[in-house]
Amino acid sequence: MPSNPDRHSRAMLPIPDRPVHGLTTYDAKDPATSFPPIEPLRPPDGAPNVVVILLDDVGFGASSAFGGPCATPNAERLAAGGLKFNRFHTTALCAPTRQALLTGRNHHSVGMGSITETATSAPGNSSVRPNTKAPLAMTLKLNGYSTAQFGKCHEVPVWQSSPLGPFDAWPSGGGGFETFYGFIGGEDNQWEPALYDGTTPVEPPATAEEGYHLTEDLADRAVGWVRQQKALMPDKPFFVYFAPGATHAPHHCPKEWIDKYKGRFDDGWDVQRERTFARQKELGVIPADAELTPRHDEITAWDDMPDELKPVLARQMEVYAGFLEHTDHHVGRLIDAVDDLGVLDNTIIYYIVGDNGASAEGTMNGAFNEMANFNGMAALETPEFMQSKMDEFGSPASYNHYSVGWAWAMNTPLQWTKQVASHWGGTRNGTIVHWPNGIDEPGGLREQFTHVIDIAPTVLEAAGLPEPTMVNGVQQSPMEGTSMLYTFKQASEPERHDLQYFEMFGNRGIYHQGWSAVTKHKTPWIMVGGDLPAFDDDIWELYDGNSDYSQARDLAAEQPGRLAELQRLWLIEATKYNVLPMDDRTGERLEPSMAGRPTLIHGNSQLFFSGMGRLSENSVVSIKNKSFSVTANIDVPESGASGVIIAQGGRFGGWAVYTKDGVLKFVYNVLGIQEFATTADEPIPAGKHQVRVEFAYDGGGLAKGGDVTLYHDGTAVGSGRVEATQPMVFSADETTDIGYESGTCVSPDYTPETSRFSGKIEWVQIDLGDDDNDHFIDPDERMRIAMARQ
C-alpha cells in the first residue's frame, strides 16, 4: 500500500487544478522566470496495478481450482501464489453482478435489479445507474490510472444500445474506461461476434474458418494493451477489467479442446456431483463437515433421462468443459504478459470464477439453439433433432446450451443455480486473489463472507485512494461494500461484511452473522407457463452457515423466531436498497410498454437508409406477432439485382428481404430449424423500382404463421406462406442491417461477403399492421407518412 504523503486532495473528482502563485515576469527570457514543472497526474506512490477477471456463468463446482471437472491450471497457479475465497458471493445474474462489481453498490441500488432487457420504470430495476454512484473505473481514471475493459458489457440500457447511444453507460463513454473492446449485451456468438472498439462497431479480424474465436481475440487485445501501457507509461498503474463472454451460452469452443473430455461425463450429473464433492473435500475448499445437498424434484435424475438422449447430454458437458479450459488458457496469457513485464508482484489480480451460479436456462434436454427456450419453442428440438446435431455442438453451426442437470452438477455441493438468488448455488462463486506484495500466505484459504460489492472498496484501500464525495460535480452516495483487504493478512480475522440481502425475480434471502433465511420463488428454466405463488405464500428456509456450509439442513421448523427476525431484516434491507416492488414477471418485462421503460423507436413505422447497420433488436420496431410490410425504393443495375435489402437476426433465427439472380425473395428463419421462403415469379427490371413484402399474420395468439405477398411497383409478383414465427426474440447478439448483413446470415442463399446489395437502395421502411392501401408508397409522401406514424 502507498506510504508516502499525497499532495492531492482526492475526495473531489476531477481533482481541482491548483493555480500557480509567485512572481510572474513580463518577459519569459527574464532570469527570474520560473514555474514548477508540469506533473502528470498519478495515484499515490506504490499504488498497485489491478486486473479483475470475471468469467460468465461458471458454478462453484466447475473449476478444478474448486474441485470441479474442468481443468483450469491458470486459476490453480494464481491460487497457489494467492488466496482462495470459498464464501464469495455474486447476485445470481450477470448484469446485476457486473454493475455491483463496477460500482461497489448493491445491484438494486444502481438500478440493475435484473438484466437490461427486462428493465422497468421502478428505480431498482430501471437499468439506469444513478450519477450519484460513479463506477470504480472512473474513480481510478480521475486519480491517474490507465483503464481498459475487454469483453462483455451488459450494463447499457437497451434503448441506449444503438450506434448513436447516448454513450453515458458505455464503458468508454461514462463508464470510466479509456479503452473498450468487446460487445454490448448479455451474450455473443464466440465465432462471429458483434464487436465494438470504443463506441464504433467493428468486424472480427478473422473468420471462424480462419481460426477466429472471441476469447482469443479479447486476450490478444488485452495483452497488447498492457504491453503498450507499460512501454509508454511505466510509472502509471493500470486497471484492466477482463470479462470474456465465456462460459455463457452459446458454448462455443474449438473441437480439440472439447475432445479432451470425451467420455468423461458418460456417467451423468448425479455421479459427477459425488465425484466433485469428494474432490472438494480432498482439496479442502469446503469444510470437512460440509454436506452434499440432494437433487430437487424439478431436476430429472440421470437414470431417468431417455437413453437415446444420454450421448447428446454427455457431449453437451464435454463441450462446456472444453470451453472453460479454453477460457482459462487465454486468461493465463494475460497473466503471463503481466508477469513478463515484471509487474506481477505489485498487481492485484481478482479471478472471479463466475458472475453467478451455473446457468440452468437450457432446459432438461439442453439446447442446440438456446433461443428456442427463450421463445417458448423448445419442443421443436426433439430428441431426434438433438441426436442429428450431436457432432455440431460447440461449432459455428450451433448456438448451444447444456442441460439443467449439468448446471446443477457444476454448482456442487450447493442447491439450485443461476437466477436463484435465495440459495448459494445461485450466488456463491469461487474467487482467487493474487497479490504477492500484499499477501503473506500464498496458497491460503479465506472463509469470511464476502460479496462482489466488496471489490471496489478493496481496490481503493489498496491504492491509498479515498472514496470520492464528489465526481463530475455530483455528490456521491457511499459505497455499500466492505474492503476485503483485512482478509489478505489474517485468515482468522472476523468477517466484516456480515449483513447482505439477495433478490432476483422474487427468489430472495438474507445473510446475517452466519445465518441465512431464504425462499425460492421461481424456477429459472420455466420461461413460459407455470404458476407462481403469491410472494406471501413463498416457503422460507433457515440455515446456520456456521456449521452448515452448503445450506443442507433447514432449521425453519426448529427456530421460527430466528426465521421471523431474519425475514423482517430482509424487508428492511430490501426497502433500503430499492428492491421493492418485487417483480416476477417474465414475458411482460420483455415488452417495453408493459415494463414501462423507454424505447428508441415510437409508433408503427420505421425508416432506414442504405448502410445503416448493427442495429440491436431493441433499436428496431418489433414485427413479432403481427402483420407488417417492408417497402424499399431501389435502383437495379442492368446486370440485375443481388444481395440483401434488409435483414434482421441471423442463422439462428430472423428474416430477410433480398434478391438473388435478380429475383426478389423473403425468407423467415425459425430458430435455424425451419425456413419459409417466398420467391417472386419474375426478376426485377433494371432501373428504379419499389419492392414490397406484405406479411398478413394469422392472429389468434403468439408464434402463429401468416401469408406473404411480394410486389414490384404495387403489382403482386409472388406469394407464399410462413407456418410459424418467433414470438419473443430473434437473437441476443445478431442485428439489423440495410444493404448487407453482418454476423451470421438469415439465409444460406448468401454469405456476409456476398450479401452487399449490387444496386442502390434509396430507403427501406417497415410498417406495422395491414393497412388497406394500393401496396405502394408514393416516394414524395414517404417521409410525411413515416414522421406522422412516429
Side-chain angles (χ1 to χ4, degrees):
M1 289 179 58
S3 56
N4 296 335
D6 184 13
R7 65 183 182 85
H8 292 292
S9 177
R10 299 177 184 267
M12 181 181 291
L13 300 175
I15 299 169
D17 292 327
R18 294 182 177 183
V20 177
H21 297 289
L23 175 67
T24 300
T25 60
Y26 182 70
D27 187 338
K29 297 187 292 295
D30 189 322
T33 302
S34 178
F35 296 98
I38 299 173
E39 296 184 7
L41 176 63
R42 296 290 185 267
D45 291 342
N49 304 299
V50 180
V51 177
V52 175
I53 300 156
L54 180 65
L55 302 192
D56 205 332
D57 284 3
V58 187
F60 183 85
S63 161
S64 60
F66 289 88
C70 310
T72 52
N74 289 292
E76 293 181 32
R77 170 166 58 121
L78 285 180
L83 299 172
K84 288 182 184 177
F85 286 78
N86 69 350
R87 297 177 195 257
F88 182 91
H89 298 83
T90 54
T91 69
L93 201 58
C94 45
T97 290
R98 291 158 194 273
Q99 196 69 297
L101 184 158
L102 291 168
T103 62
R105 277 88 168 188
N106 287 299
H107 59 297
H108 292 90
S109 190
V110 284
M112 202 65 75
S114 66
I115 54 175
T116 56
E117 292 82 358
T118 57
T120 72
S121 55
N125 274 290
S126 67
S127 76
V128 178
R129 175 181 53 79
N131 61 8
T132 55
K133 295 167 184 177
L136 172 65
M138 180 66 73
T139 298
L140 294 177
K141 183 180 78 168
L142 295 177
N143 275 289
Y145 269 77
S146 295
T147 57
Q149 176 178 341
F150 302 93
K152 173 175 171 175
C153 172
H154 199 187
E155 302 88 61
V156 178
V158 291
W159 64 92
Q160 297 179 12
S161 62
S162 82
L164 287 184
F167 300 113
D168 300 27
W170 289 53
S172 58
F177 289 102
E178 297 163 315
T179 293
F180 169 64
Y181 181 77
F183 62 94
I184 304 296
E187 63 189 51
D188 213 344
N189 189 317
Q190 299 287 318
W191 301 112
E192 301 180 76
L195 294 171
Y196 286 88
D197 191 342
T199 58
T200 303
V202 295
E203 295 303 313
T207 65
E209 291 74 20
E210 294 168 332
Y212 178 86
H213 191 280
L214 177 57
T215 307
E216 181 176 355
D217 186 16
L218 296 174
D220 288 345
R221 288 290 189 123
V223 168
W225 185 89
V226 167
R227 287 172 174 167
Q228 179 169 261
Q229 195 275 343
K230 278 295 168 246
L232 298 178
M233 299 179 176
D235 64 329
K236 187 174 185 176
F238 58 72
F239 171 43
V240 171
Y241 175 39
F242 187 74
T247 57
H248 195 292
H251 299 161
H252 286 159
C253 181
K255 188 174 183 295
E256 61 269 22
W257 292 83
I258 299 171
D259 289 344
K260 295 170 69 172
Y261 290 89
K262 188 171 181 60
R264 292 269 297 275
F265 302 104
D266 290 353
D267 292 332
W269 41 74
D270 295 285
V271 170
Q272 183 57 55
R273 263 180 78 92
E274 293 172 357
R275 289 173 177 162
T276 298
F277 183 63
R279 179 62 177 155
Q280 290 171 332
K281 288 284 186 77
E282 181 183 336
L283 289 176
V285 294
I286 61 175
D289 60 356
E291 297 180 32
L292 181 61
T293 56
R295 177 174 36 78
H296 294 276
D297 292 340
E298 293 90 332
I299 303 171
T300 306
W302 175 262
D303 288 345
D304 293 334
M305 294 298 292
D307 287 340
E308 65 271 19
L309 196 59
K310 287 179 179 177
V312 180
L313 296 171
R315 186 60 172 175
Q316 292 170 8
M317 187 59 216
E318 292 168 8
V319 171
Y320 180 82
F323 192 20
L324 180 51
E325 183 177 353
H326 176 262
T327 303
D328 178 80
H329 169 76
H330 289 291
V331 168
R333 293 176 52 221
L334 175 57
I335 297 165
D336 288 342
V338 174
D339 194 8
D340 291 344
L341 290 166
V343 296
L344 184 63
D345 285 355
N346 198 33
T347 299
I348 298 177
I349 299 177
Y350 266 91
Y351 193 160
I352 309 166
V353 191
D355 55 354
N356 41 244
S359 170
E361 295 155 341
T363 79
M364 278 309 306
N365 287 355
F368 187 69
N369 180 358
E370 65 161 343
M371 287 297 130
N373 194 33
F374 289 121
N375 280 283
M377 305 173 80
L380 288 176
E381 295 195 332
T382 63
E384 294 76 20
F385 172 83
M386 297 287 274
Q387 286 176 308
S388 73
K389 298 293 184 180
M390 179 171 161
D391 292 337
E392 297 179 47
F393 274 80
S395 75
S398 68
Y399 207 85
N400 52 307
H401 204 324
Y402 60 9
S403 166
V404 167
W406 292 124
W408 172 66
M410 293 304 101
N411 290 323
T412 304
L414 311 168
Q415 298 189 55
W416 296 112
T417 62
K418 175 184 177 181
Q419 293 191 31
V420 185
S422 52
H423 291 73
W424 296 149
T427 65
R428 182 164 285 177
N429 287 91
T431 294
I432 295 161
V433 179
H434 184 276
W435 185 24
N437 284 4
I439 292 173
D440 293 337
E441 186 196 353
L445 179 70
R446 295 294 182 267
E447 301 185 88
Q448 294 92 339
F449 180 95
T450 49
H451 191 274
V452 70
I453 62 175
D454 298 337
I455 291 176
T458 304
V459 170
L460 292 183
E461 184 181 0
L465 295 172
E467 215 181 292
T469 57
M470 190 84 69
V471 176
N472 293 324
V474 179
Q475 186 171 345
Q476 299 295 293
S477 67
M479 287 186 177
E480 294 153 11
T482 303
S483 172
M484 298 166 59
L485 207 64
Y486 74 97
T487 66
F488 291 4
K489 296 291 186 181
Q490 293 292 333
S492 59
E493 188 76 14
E495 69 186 24
R496 299 180 185 178
H497 189 149
D498 62 1
L499 174 61
Q500 180 63 47
Y501 83 90
F502 296 88
E503 193 276 338
M504 194 66 63
F505 300 121
N507 297 320
R508 58 202 187 275
I510 187 85
Y511 172 86
H512 187 225
Q513 296 180 349
W515 289 81
S516 59
V518 303
T519 180
K520 175 187 167 290
H521 176 75
K522 189 175 184 178
T523 302
W525 55 94
I526 300 177
M527 300 192 185
V528 179
D531 295 325
L532 292 174
F535 292 122
D536 287 345
D537 293 336
D538 285 333
I539 298 172
W540 285 73
E541 302 160 13
L542 177 69
Y543 298 100
D544 180 5
N546 298 298
S547 58
D548 180 9
Y549 175 84
S550 57
Q551 295 178 320
R553 300 186 296 276
D554 180 10
L555 303 177
E558 299 173 28
Q559 300 196 41
R562 185 185 292 272
L563 175 61
E565 291 176 4
L566 289 173
Q567 287 174 303
R568 182 171 57 192
L569 185 56
W570 180 89
L571 188 59
I572 292 170
E573 293 296 290
T575 304
K576 183 190 303 183
Y577 294 116
N578 285 336
V579 179
L580 302 178
M582 287 186 289
D583 195 339
D584 59 4
R585 297 174 298 165
T586 303
E588 299 93 324
R589 290 179 66 173
L590 292 172
E591 212 291 310
S593 62
M594 297 178 72
R597 64 176 174 269
T599 57
L600 182 65
I601 302 301
H602 303 278
N604 296 321
S605 184
Q606 186 171 5
L607 181 64
F608 306 90
F609 296 99
S610 181
M612 292 176 65
R614 291 291 294 277
L615 304 176
S616 66
E617 202 157 320
N618 289 285
S619 302
V620 177
V621 65
S622 175
I623 63 153
K624 301 178 188 75
N625 310 304
K626 56 178 71 76
S627 298
F628 65 91
S629 64
V630 180
T631 308
N633 260 29
I634 62 175
D635 191 348
V636 178
E638 290 294 335
S639 58
S642 65
V644 169
I645 296 173
I646 181 171
Q648 181 176 40
R651 177 187 299 142
F652 305 104
W655 59 273
V657 179
Y658 63 101
T659 57
K660 182 180 181 183
D661 300 327
V663 177
L664 180 66
K665 297 190 71 171
F666 172 78
V667 67
Y668 197 107
N669 174 349
V670 179
L671 298 167
I673 300 173
Q674 299 174 329
E675 181 182 289
F676 303 100
T678 301
T679 304
D681 299 328
E682 59 190 63
I684 309 169
K688 293 186 176 183
H689 297 280
Q690 186 174 110
V691 295
R692 181 178 173 95
V693 176
E694 291 184 3
F695 177 79
Y697 189 62
D698 291 342
L702 304 178
K704 303 302 181 181
D707 294 323
V708 179
T709 308
L710 306 182
Y711 296 88
H712 292 172
D713 300 317
T715 300
V717 293
S719 62
R721 175 80 185 163
V722 173
E723 294 295 345
T725 56
Q726 290 181 217
M728 306 304 291
V729 61
F730 288 119
S731 174
D733 60 338
E734 299 279 5
T735 56
T736 297
D737 306 297
I738 292 79
Y740 71 104
E741 185 166 12
S742 62
T744 65
C745 294
V746 172
S747 171
D749 277 351
Y750 55 87
T751 67
E753 293 75 23
T754 63
S755 68
R756 195 161 295 278
F757 189 67
S758 62
K760 294 182 180 179
I761 298 173
E762 293 184 22
W763 51 265
V764 180
Q765 184 167 305
I766 297 177
D767 293 290
L768 304 182
D770 49 2
D771 295 343
D772 183 17
N773 56 37
D774 56 4
H775 317 295
F776 182 85
I777 296 177
D778 184 341
D780 295 332
E781 294 293 306
R782 169 189 50 76
M783 186 65 74
R784 181 187 64 78
I785 294 171
M787 293 301 103
R789 288 180 173 177
Q790 290 188 30

